Amino acid sequence: MPSSIRRIAVMTGGGDCPGLNAVIRAVTKTAIFEYGLEVVGIEDGFLGLVENRMHLLTAIDVSDILTRGGTILGSNNKCNPSAFVVTHTDGSHTKENRVDQCVQHLNDRDIDAMVVIGGDGTMSGASSFVRAGVNCVGVPKTIDNDIVGTDITFGFSTARYVATAALDRIHTTAASHHRAMIVEVMGRNAGWLALHAGVASGSDVILLPEIDYDIDRVCDYVVDRSQHGKRFSILCVSEGAKPKGGELTVDYYDEKSPDPIRLGGVGKVVADQIESKTGIETRCTILGHVQRGGTPVPEDRILGTLFGHAALEALVDGKQNRMIVMDGRDVTDIDILQVADKQRQVPLDDPLIAAARGVGTEFGG
Ligand code: F6P
């Protein structure tokens, strides 16, 4: 074995998604079965690292979890160890750098490297540890599919399936009642989920964060459909969509979170405008966290297994501070520091946008 690694830690950070357990299983089983390493599971993402909550993982601990959604380790999307939020007795908050304390917790357990499974926020968090000398290998997860450097993240395929299935169900009721029906999907500032679910379900209108919409253009399209054959319209709206010259629709601000903006509600805004401008009855369904829950589809189980295995291989090959990525059909790795604080949006020349326009889909802009 070319590396001197004996014990590794694994953690899941940020919002959960289907496939996390597949990665934990692949990392742990590969470490134990192929390389005789010890694996320590950190509980609840970076929060467990700050609070020194971790435990040894055995092969039994990770058996029977491949098909389960969520994460057996727990997760947290509010903790950034370099700006850890401390709440005082008077209710006020201050931020403290707890990275050194975390490194001490890792050193106390003789941990040689950390597998960090998470999205862009977690990769940004990992960069503080890289700078403090901890070898981190990242595994990119998120239903948003918005991590730079990888063509796909695990979790995306399951969310895409859930959103498509919801749109299919909305389709039949929309047709019965001759309504415009909106399904708002997640994705933050990237439209991958809306674009893919919208195309897969044959949505008539798809609104993306990358293309600001003109509400009058959307209304004209819906009216045109109702007057020429189809008396209903299906709209797939990304939570990050915004009108030309307008703002994002923010559901609330979570001040304790490193990324405080929680999007949500643009679907209802669009529904109200369509109804008032056209007189066509319009309804909105906000899918929310149902897109992140439940059983992972086979694609995410497979990708999670590939990524988890590749993370372990990278570590035992002596690689330092990499993130596992999918590049075309190749599983490879890039510098983890390349990823922090960036987001991968849908390019306007994405072939799926062109194909959707080709079959008559309206993007509002
Ligand atoms: O990043 C994953 C995601 O589900 C986004 O699509 C969504 O905007 C956000 O997390 C919701 O965050 P929370 O779980 O904190 O409500």
Side-chain angles (χ1 to χ4, degrees):
M1 190 165 56
S3 84
S4 56
I5 287 179
R6 292 282 170 272
R7 182 180 290 168
I8 63 164
V10 58
M11 59 157 278
T12 50
D16 73 338
C17 74
L20 287 167
N21 283 327
V23 184
I24 296 168
R25 170 179 175 270
V27 166
T28 307
K29 287 197 169 184
T30 307
I32 295 172
F33 295 157
E34 275 198 57
Y35 299 106
L37 307 182
E38 285 187 332
V39 183
V40 173
I42 300 170
E43 297 164 18
D44 301 336
F46 286 126
L47 184 62
L49 193 50
V50 172
E51 295 177 348
N52 206 7
R53 289 187 284 113
M54 29 191 137
H55 58 271
L56 212 58
L57 287 177
T58 66
I60 298 290
D61 292 327
V62 298
S63 100
D64 243 352
I65 65 169
L66 175 64
T67 60
R68 271 164 51 190
T71 160
I72 60 161
L73 293 175
S75 197
N76 180 288
N77 63 0
K78 301 197 198 328
C79 178
N80 176 2
S82 62
F84 184 75
V85 178
V86 179
T87 306
H88 301 284
T89 41
D90 64 357
S92 64
H93 306 295
T94 50
K95 289 183 179 172
E96 295 175 4
N97 189 333
R98 298 288 186 90
V99 172
D100 288 346
Q101 181 189 14
C102 293
V103 173
Q104 191 58 51
H105 295 157
L106 293 170
N107 290 341
D108 289 346
R109 288 180 160 82
D110 294 326
I111 289 166
D112 301 307
M114 193 159 59
V115 177
V116 178
I117 310 168
D120 62 325
T122 306
M123 296 308 152
S124 303
S127 62
S128 311
F129 289 93
V130 169
R131 292 191 186 96
V134 178
N135 185 11
C136 295
V137 171
V139 179
K141 67 91 229 194
T142 168
I143 65 164
D144 305 337
N145 201 29
D146 63 349
I147 302 187
V148 296
T150 186
D151 292 344
I152 189 161
T153 56
F154 70 89
F156 173 64
S157 297
T158 304
R160 177 175 62 180
Y161 172 80
V162 171
T164 303
L167 281 153
D168 289 348
R169 286 176 181 273
I170 289 292
H171 211 124
T172 58
T173 172
S176 307
H177 289 272
H178 319 303
R179 287 169 169 161
M181 298 284 272
I182 292 175
V183 175
E184 181 184 307
V185 303
M186 283 183 165
R188 278 198 306 173
N189 302 310
W192 297 104
L193 197 48
L195 177 62
H196 281 237
V199 169
S201 61
S203 292
D204 307 299
V205 178
I206 301 174
L207 301 185
L208 306 176
E210 293 82 357
I211 303 174
D212 289 352
Y213 65 84
D214 173 348
I215 191 65
D216 292 324
R217 184 166 159 167
V218 173
C219 289
D220 288 349
Y221 184 88
V222 170
V223 168
D224 193 57
R225 271 179 62 82
S226 71
Q227 289 172 349
H228 297 97
K230 298 287 179 150
R231 294 170 61 204
F232 68 94
S233 289
I234 307 294
L235 296 87
C236 177
V237 176
S238 172
E239 64 179 0
K242 61 180 194 318
K244 275 190 202 312
E247 300 295 327
L248 289 167
T249 305
V250 176
D251 185 17
Y252 66 96
Y253 291 89
D254 184 343
E255 294 304 343
K256 288 188 184 169
S257 175
D259 181 5
I261 293 177
R262 290 296 179 275
L263 298 171
V266 65
K268 181 78 173 85
V269 170
V270 173
D272 290 347
Q273 286 181 314
I274 292 175
E275 190 158 307
S276 69
K277 281 175 181 273
T278 68
I280 294 170
E281 197 175 26
T282 308
R283 295 282 191 272
C284 173
T285 300
I286 299 178
L287 278 190
H289 292 80
V290 71
Q291 294 159 103
R292 283 207 334 227
T295 308
V297 296
E299 290 90 331
D300 285 333
R301 301 179 200 183
I302 292 165
L303 197 58
T305 303
L306 276 172
F307 278 4
H309 182 259
L312 225 286
E313 294 286 321
L315 282 176
V316 295
D317 281 352
K319 292 187 179 175
Q320 300 269 328
N321 307 320
R322 310 298 291 169
M323 187 184 80
I324 306 303
V325 298
M326 182 64 83
D327 180 7
R329 289 178 56 81
D330 295 331
V331 178
T332 177
D333 50 80
I334 60 172
D335 181 353
I336 197 171
L337 295 178
Q338 242 177 273
V339 177
D341 303 319
K342 294 186 193 128
Q343 278 178 358
R344 189 178 73 104
Q345 288 194 298
V346 179
L348 294 181
D349 61 354
D350 190 282
L352 201 49
I353 294 181
R357 288 197 197 275
V359 296
T361 309
E362 174 60 53
F363 285 89

